[in-house]
Amino acid sequence: MTTLHNPLVNGFHPDPSVVRVGDEWFLATSSFEYLPGIPIHRSRDFETWELIGHVATRPGQLAVEDVPTAGGAWAPTIRHRDGVFHLVITDAMGRGTLHFTATDPAGLWSDGDLILKQDGSSPIDGIDPDIAWDDEGNVYITYSGLILSGDQLGQHLGIQQVKVDLDRHIALEEPRSLWSGTGGQFPEAPHLYEVGGRWYLMIAEGGTERGHGISIARGDGPEGPFETAPHNPLVSARSTIRPIQNTGHGDLVPGPDGQWLCVLLGVRPRSGTRAFSALGRETFVTPVRWEDDGWPAIDPVLLNPRPGTRTEVSFDEPLDAEWIAVRALPSAVADLGSRPGWLTLHADGTTLDDPRPVFVGRRQEHLTNSATVHVDVSDGAGGLAVRYDERFHVEVEAGAGSVTARAVVGGLVQEWTLPFAGAELDLHIDSRKPASSAGFVTTSDVFHLAATIDGERVELAEVDGRFLASETAESFTGRVIGVYAVAGRIAVHSWVAEGDDD
Ligand code: 6LW
């Protein structure tokens, strides 16, 4: 019997799509303004998942260099046909809707081809593209008709669909509107499935926040017409006390031992009213049953976290695939060659307040977490940060004669500074559970910002964690813990991060 861990993939991995090939499963998720982009995880039992690579590993595959916060790689669909992996996605406010292919899902993937409108004038509109083939080999792109540019910016045309020529990457017709849910806002995340001779159109509706849910309809062909299921939404946490909220944006797949499964996004909010989701939207999984009436039923998502983890990195070998940077590849902001055994970051005049900081990090994967780095700031200034985006971050920074804890929340900045004339020290940022009074807690967590100088740990500041959460920062991403440089260059000798979800 398969153990379904939830989260299935910890840390911000929203908008999951999954495909089964033989006895392996491949999962793709959104990555927004971070690079490398569009992570691909693989499992052979649906329990253990390994990050095997990314779709976007080269400049030009996405155009995230200048996308606004939360723009970029939104909502992939991954499928497999005749030995080729296909992935369609919207590079939102970047290149547009793209089609990538690979024979090895670990990469390399293709450069990405825009899917053009029938007149070839521009990419098809919308987000959340799905790709499906019918028995005659027609290729359907079904998508959410949110307009992201031009004079119709922000309009939503509901669920749309076009047949495309996948060799020429061009639509063969004008878009047609399909069933668009039961009236919830933002019908999106469409996926088409042919099961038992029927075509099912599954979507998300209600918006990716607390009203999120999954609905389904079915018809005799991929173009519909579609009849709505009698029991929509199939799954939603809205108005419940469930520990996993915002559940929606799902994809169905035959799991091990014939059990169908639904991967979907969700959040793990904390505080007295469970208001703040520090890690952003993560990937979860839940069983699916096909009922006698031919409709699927999806179980509520049950929390089942894995044990905590500890990650130790010494920089004497290439960075693993978990390292990401903002609107740039990690290799563009950090190198292992300048000083063997150290990761060196070269400041370029930017700070964490800028859209392309000299920052490289890893997703925060646990609700309770500690991170420590050993740095040499003798040639510059920089430190350790938890970043939500350029407007919401906390950090411990050293160099230029001081060590400073800093909280940046919207336009508000607070600093706590001590003199430090040394070269090397340890920097710490811990996310700890808040103290409770009479059993009631009022926030998600508390950051403890500290430094260890000559063997003595000095607590610099405590900062309420609520401000770095999905609901407050309103970024589609999640917390990323990383190192950064703001002057000269800094070198990082070690990284230790550990945490759990108790
Ligand atoms: C994704 C869409 C959504 O494309 O947000 O709110 C976008 N729902 O399904 C980014 O996650």
Side-chain angles (χ1 to χ4, degrees):
M1 184 63 187
T2 303
T3 299
L4 298 180
H5 295 289
N6 273 321
L8 190 68
V9 183
N10 286 50
F12 90 83
H13 291 94
D15 313 322
S17 176
V18 63
V19 66
R20 177 173 186 169
V21 181
D23 286 333
E24 294 184 318
W25 289 266
F26 299 93
L27 184 92
T29 51
S30 299
S31 52
F32 306 97
E33 67 263 32
Y34 285 96
L35 290 174
I38 319 168
I40 303 290
H41 288 79
R42 177 186 60 210
S43 180
R44 296 187 170 108
D45 57 12
F46 230 96
E47 294 183 21
T48 303
W49 289 85
E50 175 194 1
L51 176 59
I52 61 172
H54 293 78
V55 172
T57 55
R58 306 184 300 276
Q61 286 178 287
L62 297 171
V64 298
E65 296 78 9
D66 298 312
V67 292
T69 294
W74 286 14
T77 295
I78 186 169
R79 296 293 184 254
H80 182 265
R81 182 179 173 87
D82 300 336
V84 176
F85 286 87
H86 296 262
L87 185 136
V88 289
I89 192 166
T90 301
D91 182 8
M93 295 164 274
R95 291 182 64 191
T97 293
L98 295 161
H99 172 232
F100 292 93
T101 58
T103 52
D104 178 352
L108 295 175
W109 286 77
S110 63
D111 291 343
D113 294 282
L114 282 172
I115 299 176
L116 301 179
K117 292 177 180 172
Q118 187 180 21
D119 63 6
S121 62
S122 59
I124 59 174
D125 290 319
I127 62 172
D128 300 4
D130 171 77
I131 186 167
W133 291 260
D134 68 10
D135 296 341
E136 289 71 46
N138 296 305
V139 184
Y140 290 89
I141 302 293
T142 307
Y143 57 91
S144 174
L146 176 66
I147 305 296
L148 287 179
S149 61
D151 53 11
Q152 290 183 293
L153 176 66
Q155 282 193 30
H156 205 301
L157 306 178
I159 301 300
Q160 306 276 290
Q161 182 186 74
V162 287
K163 281 203 287 284
V164 302
D165 177 330
L166 209 53
D167 295 324
R168 295 168 49 227
H169 288 101
I170 193 165
L172 297 171
E173 57 190 350
E174 284 301 308
R176 82 182 114 264
S177 293
L178 301 183
W179 171 84
S180 294
T182 62
Q185 66 171 344
F186 297 135
E188 50 201 6
H191 289 307
L192 272 176
Y193 309 95
E194 185 181 13
V195 180
R198 287 184 176 122
W199 282 83
Y200 292 83
L201 172 59
M202 187 170 85
I203 71 167
E205 60 177 327
T208 200
E209 298 79 17
R210 296 295 189 265
H212 215 192
I214 294 177
S215 297
I216 201 163
R218 71 187 179 195
D220 295 329
E223 301 180 18
F226 294 99
E227 163 209 11
T228 190
H231 56 304
N232 281 325
L234 292 186
V235 66
S236 176
R238 61 183 77 132
S239 307
T240 72
I241 196 168
R242 292 184 195 133
I244 301 167
Q245 289 288 316
N246 298 27
T247 47
H249 202 117
D251 199 7
L252 304 181
V253 72
D257 50 60
Q259 165 76 56
W260 278 72
L261 299 172
C262 175
V263 297
L264 71 172
L265 74 79
V267 295
R268 293 187 281 160
R270 278 187 169 174
S271 83
T273 58
R274 293 175 307 117
F276 307 114
S277 310
L279 306 187
R281 299 169 300 163
E282 304 172 280
T283 289
F284 295 85
V285 61
T286 191
V288 179
R289 294 181 316 283
W290 290 94
E291 308 287 17
D292 296 342
D293 60 8
W295 290 110
I298 301 182
D299 289 351
V301 184
L302 301 179
L303 187 61
N304 182 28
R306 293 183 181 82
T309 61
R310 176 182 172 88
T311 303
E312 295 187 30
V313 179
S314 55
F315 297 102
D316 45 22
E317 54 191 35
L319 297 182
D320 69 22
E322 296 283 359
W323 292 96
I324 53 179
V326 188
R327 300 181 180 89
L329 287 162
S331 56
V333 296
D335 80 80
L336 293 165
S338 298
R339 185 174 175 183
W342 296 70
L343 179 70
T344 301
L345 292 90
H346 303 268
D348 63 2
T350 60
T351 72
L352 290 170
D353 299 335
D354 291 304
R356 276 200 297 275
V358 177
F359 170 91
V360 61
R362 302 165 74 94
R363 291 169 175 83
Q364 180 173 333
E365 297 181 338
H366 299 294
L367 293 168
T368 301
N369 195 77
S370 70
T372 293
V373 293
H374 180 82
V375 295
D376 180 346
V377 295
S378 53
D379 282 344
L384 175 66
V386 178
R387 178 185 190 274
Y388 221 93
D389 60 32
E390 48 270 24
R391 299 178 59 244
F392 293 87
H393 49 89
V394 299
E395 59 259 9
V396 186
E397 183 173 308
S402 64
V403 56
T404 297
R406 183 180 305 114
V408 177
V409 171
L412 304 176
V413 181
Q414 183 160 2
E415 295 185 339
W416 302 260
T417 295
L418 290 176
F420 171 69
E424 296 187 31
L425 74 170
D426 289 349
L427 305 177
H428 314 278
I429 300 182
D430 299 349
S431 308
R432 296 182 192 160
K433 288 179 183 172
S436 67
S437 57
F440 190 77
V441 294
T442 57
T443 191
S444 52
D445 59 345
V446 177
F447 290 114
H448 292 253
L449 310 175
T452 295
I453 302 169
D454 299 331
E456 181 188 354
R457 176 164 171 148
V458 178
E459 300 298 330
L460 292 164
E462 292 184 14
V463 177
D464 189 326
R466 79 179 65 212
F467 303 112
L468 272 65
S470 182
E471 294 81 0
T472 43
E474 207 179 20
S475 293
F476 281 140
T477 54
R479 289 183 185 175
V480 177
I481 306 170
V483 288
Y484 70 97
V486 292
R489 65 180 184 179
I490 72 157
V492 187
H493 188 255
S494 62
W495 163 286
V496 178
E498 61 184 325
D500 60 46
D501 295 289
D502 296 340

